[in-house]
Amino acid sequence: MSATKRSPKIIALIAAALTVALAATPLAAPVRAQGGSGADPAPACRVRSGASNVNVRYGPNAGEYGVIGVLYAGQQLPVTGQNASGDWYAVTFDAAGSLAGPREGWIAANVVETEGGCDGVPVLADPGQPEEIDLLLSIPVLPTLDAESLRAIFAHGQSLGNDPRVFTKVGDCNTDTSYFLSGFDQDNYDLGPYADLAPSVDYYAGSWEHISLAGQVGFNALSMLDPMWADQNQCRFSENEGPLACEYRIAQPSVALMMFGPNDLINLTEEQYADALRGVIDLSLDRGVIPVLSTFTWHHDRMWFKSLRLNAITVEIAQEYGLPLVNFWRAAQDLPNLGLVEGYTHLTSANTGTRMFEIRFTGEEATAGYALRNLVTLQVLDLLRTEVLEAE
């Protein structure tokens, strides 16, 4: 990201100031046409939805641009332009949440009705994709490790008693599932053309199907640090021990695999997510645990732009700390439906094996979200084993 780009907090403050200023400015009386009858000009062009909600997208193409807002049934928005073919209208709408304030979006012409003088609406250029997409496409799926820095973290963890052969899982519903990695501990896998990864399957034996206190359905980055979310039967609630600190104390891992996303989109602002992720990383480094961050895949039809922002924040913070990053967002771009169950946030499973939760890398990694995530996770753990944990 450009060093000169304003932070989300500054953008929110500017938007709030503009909103106050506009609210304080009295509306001018309508300007009458000069000469003629002196009648008021035709009202400005607006679009109105019918009985159903209408998606507002980042650009004039449903296949390429994600949803950034909704025009609810019966509501209307002012039109600022149209695309060259006239089948999409540019509109101004008041965005909520992380988008903060008035924004321009696009609505398909065939799902709305027009009102007012729409004949002279100007043609606007395609806005192009958000800069976050360029950033995410520029980051490789697997990282190049800063081995010297990671060995220092590992050595610190060894001095605290961490187990070099143990990793743990940190995240939400896409982590708290037997589809993610468990098959390696159950001898329920086929590495296919990736047989060279077999030593790492053996090295981390016992961790693959471990149920983490910091990897549970409903968790977000902030949950990791909050004692309210900790297991009171295993964690030290009286000492304000959150799920992540509790997991580190009990499991004593050397590596933590971290993927946040869906619950953060719903419950956290961009600033809260960034602060929480830094808190998670700082706690990990203090305990001598190597954090392996990951971007997440997301569909186009809900909170698309915010998902890009959270992924970009994850990339920027990984770079800030010099930590390994698995760019699962980029890896999943070639999967059917981006590797997601239709209309929901769970990854897809291959379901092509003869046993439940079987892990197969015989083509399934090109079609199913969990198969691909299992592969790239095993690959990054193999890199850590060979370049950091077992390196002389």
Side-chain angles (χ1 to χ4, degrees):
M1 300 294 289
S2 170
T4 60
K5 183 179 178 182
R6 292 190 178 98
S7 71
K9 184 175 182 180
I10 292 175
I11 293 173
L13 290 173
I14 292 172
L18 287 172
T19 301
V20 172
L22 289 172
T25 303
L27 296 175
V31 177
R32 295 183 179 274
Q34 298 299 312
S37 65
D40 291 338
C45 180
R46 303 179 72 84
V47 292
R48 180 187 295 274
S49 60
S52 301
N53 298 341
V54 173
N55 287 329
V56 182
R57 295 185 178 271
Y58 191 87
N61 187 309
E64 296 182 13
Y65 297 101
V67 173
I68 58 175
V70 176
L71 175 61
Y72 294 101
Q75 294 185 338
Q76 58 181 352
L77 290 174
V79 172
T80 59
Q82 61 183 321
N83 64 341
S85 57
D87 54 354
W88 286 79
Y89 289 114
V91 296
T92 300
F93 72 105
D94 189 17
S98 64
L99 298 181
R103 286 191 62 91
E104 182 178 275
W106 293 79
I107 287 180
N110 64 351
V111 295
V112 291
E113 298 175 355
T114 58
E115 300 176 355
C118 298
D119 292 340
V121 172
V123 174
L124 301 182
D126 189 315
Q129 294 287 3
E131 60 182 338
E132 287 80 3
I133 289 182
D134 291 335
L135 171 66
L136 292 168
L137 289 175
S138 73
I139 304 299
V141 173
L142 294 175
T144 298
L145 301 184
D146 182 351
E148 182 178 359
S149 174
L150 297 180
R151 287 172 196 153
I153 300 170
F154 176 63
H156 175 51
Q158 294 302 285
S159 73
L160 298 176
N162 290 349
D163 191 327
R165 291 176 175 264
V166 170
F167 69 83
T168 192
K169 311 165 190 175
V170 178
D172 55 23
C173 54
N174 283 316
T175 293
D176 181 22
T177 171
S178 295
Y179 286 111
F180 182 48
L181 302 179
S182 295
F184 291 130
D185 265 341
Q186 301 164 359
D187 195 25
N188 187 20
Y189 64 92
D190 183 349
L191 296 180
Y194 302 97
D196 58 318
L197 300 175
S200 288
V201 175
D202 296 334
Y203 181 84
Y204 297 105
S207 290
W208 303 108
E209 62 179 348
H210 169 65
I211 298 175
S212 171
L213 295 170
Q216 300 287 321
V217 173
F219 277 9
N220 57 47
L222 192 57
S223 303
M224 299 297 106
L225 309 171
D226 189 344
M228 183 184 75
W229 294 92
D231 184 335
Q232 295 189 31
N233 294 321
Q234 301 184 67
C235 303
R236 296 171 177 171
F237 191 75
S238 62
E239 299 178 15
N240 290 323
E241 187 176 60
L244 188 62
C246 181
E247 172 67 11
Y248 285 168
R249 176 177 57 80
I250 294 174
Q252 293 187 290
S254 291
V255 176
L257 306 171
M258 301 180 176
M259 178 189 281
F260 302 108
N263 295 307
D264 304 83
L265 285 171
I266 297 169
N267 297 303
L268 303 181
T269 65
E270 293 173 21
E271 184 177 16
Q272 287 173 326
Y273 174 73
D275 289 345
L277 187 55
R278 288 192 176 92
V280 165
I281 291 170
D282 290 339
L283 174 60
S284 303
L285 299 180
D286 182 64
R287 302 295 177 89
V289 180
I290 298 172
V292 179
L293 305 184
S294 177
T295 56
F296 65 98
T297 183
W298 193 253
H299 47 70
H300 287 171
D301 290 333
R302 186 162 63 98
M303 296 182 290
W304 173 76
F305 186 77
K306 187 176 180 182
S307 76
L308 296 178
R309 287 294 310 132
L310 294 195
N311 274 320
I313 289 169
T314 304
V315 170
E316 292 162 356
I317 290 179
Q319 294 174 339
E320 174 187 330
Y321 281 86
L323 296 175
L325 174 82
V326 175
N327 190 1
F328 188 66
W329 179 92
R330 177 174 174 178
Q333 293 302 296
D334 293 330
L335 294 179
N337 199 42
L338 304 175
L340 293 163
V341 174
E342 194 69 36
Y344 202 56
T345 59
H346 287 164
L347 299 178
T348 50
S349 57
N351 291 326
T352 57
T354 58
R355 297 167 60 189
M356 190 69 168
F357 308 126
E358 185 173 14
I359 297 173
R360 296 167 60 90
F361 302 144
T362 53
E364 292 81 353
E365 68 277 11
T367 61
Y370 278 119
L372 179 58
R373 189 183 180 200
N374 287 330
L375 175 59
V376 296
T377 300
L378 177 57
Q379 288 174 320
V380 75
L381 285 170
D382 185 71
L383 287 173
L384 285 168
R385 177 184 68 83
T386 57
E387 297 184 22
V388 178
L389 308 183
E390 287 192 324
E392 296 182 3

